[in-house]
Amino acid sequence: MKNILTDQEQKERFDRAWNDSKNRFRKTRALHFSAKKLFDIYRKAVDETIKMKSWVTGKATNAMYIIDQVILLEWFAIECLLKWLYVCDGNKIVENWKLIKTSHNLLRRCELTKIEVDKGDKERLEILSLAIISYGRYPIANKYEKNPLIRTIKFWYKPTYIRHYDYMIQIENFIIWILWDDE
């Protein structure tokens, strides 16, 4: 099938789509909504596993293993949210169909959007940034140096303690704080 768009029209649509704040906002909400729904499924699976003592028999449902994808979706949501703020300030992410000033590091994205984060949010964003290059996509970190496991008594292995329910609430609170900050 022949494309009826010229190269120039395709390039213009590409730039417009990447720099469209409304599309970014919709995508942010959809990603966060998806992560929350998956997290609900995960929590039910955890509760059921505890109730049925399934860990004793080693029989866990697939839902027990979706938490890494929940984290990845939340990372995508926060990145999209930060890019939304960036383009709302009149900046561009794409110009002449080429990415400019891009980073998968959420702290760097916060700097670009002039968002100051506290110590707790900084740690959460650092861990979430690992999801894109590590356990969110792959079975294990793709670069040990960037994501070493740190064992603690309180949280088992870091960064896997991000799987804790309270941690996910803190991530959601960060998203809400950005969305509703009036300053």
Side-chain angles (χ1 to χ4, degrees):
M1 180 190 271
K2 185 176 183 334
N3 191 346
I4 61 171
L5 296 174
T6 66
D7 281 347
Q8 188 58 38
E9 287 172 324
Q10 290 180 57
K11 291 173 185 176
E12 288 169 2
R13 285 180 182 216
F14 182 83
D15 284 10
R16 201 168 39 251
W18 267 87
N19 296 314
D20 185 333
S21 63
K22 289 178 186 171
N23 282 339
R24 290 228 169 257
F25 187 72
R26 281 192 292 271
K27 185 63 73 175
T28 296
R29 291 181 56 187
L31 288 163
H32 181 57
F33 176 81
S34 300
K36 285 176 65 171
K37 291 298 180 185
L38 276 180
F39 189 69
D40 290 345
I41 292 168
Y42 168 76
R43 285 298 306 158
K44 286 177 186 172
V46 169
D47 292 345
E48 187 66 23
T49 298
I50 292 168
K51 180 180 167 187
M52 302 301 289
K53 298 185 180 177
S54 300
W55 70 87
V56 175
T57 62
K59 294 181 181 179
T61 66
N62 286 338
M64 289 292 297
Y65 304 102
I66 63 173
I67 191 63
D68 291 337
Q69 287 67 46
V70 171
I71 294 164
L72 185 64
L73 286 174
E74 287 290 36
W75 180 91
F76 284 138
I78 291 174
E79 182 192 39
C80 204
L81 177 64
L82 294 170
K83 287 181 177 179
W84 168 71
L85 289 172
Y86 187 72
V87 296
C88 282
D89 284 343
N91 300 301
K92 292 183 178 183
I93 295 172
V94 168
E95 194 165 41
N96 297 323
W97 39 278
K98 291 185 177 59
L99 287 171
I100 51 177
K101 290 190 179 182
T102 188
S103 174
H104 290 305
N105 182 302
L106 294 176
L107 288 173
R108 177 71 183 120
R109 292 246 53 101
C110 284
E111 289 172 10
L112 288 172
T113 55
K114 297 173 181 61
I115 292 177
E116 293 183 29
V117 295
D118 64 24
K119 184 180 177 185
D121 285 334
K122 181 179 179 187
E123 183 179 3
R124 282 184 283 282
L125 293 174
E126 285 172 345
I127 291 170
L128 280 171
S129 292
L130 291 173
I132 197 66
I133 61 168
S134 186
Y135 54 89
R137 292 183 179 193
Y138 310 111
I140 194 164
N142 65 352
K143 289 189 180 179
Y144 168 77
E145 303 83 26
K146 289 189 177 184
N147 193 6
L149 288 175
I150 300 167
R151 178 125 188 225
T152 64
I153 292 171
K154 184 177 179 184
F155 293 116
W156 193 245
Y157 284 102
K158 181 182 175 185
T160 55
Y161 71 82
I162 196 170
R163 293 170 170 90
H164 191 273
Y165 179 75
D166 291 340
Y167 202 91
M168 297 305 288
I169 296 297
Q170 291 167 347
I171 291 168
E172 181 169 19
N173 288 342
F174 179 78
I175 292 171
I176 292 168
W177 170 71
I178 291 174
L179 286 174
W180 301 110
D181 186 25
D182 292 321
E183 298 177 326

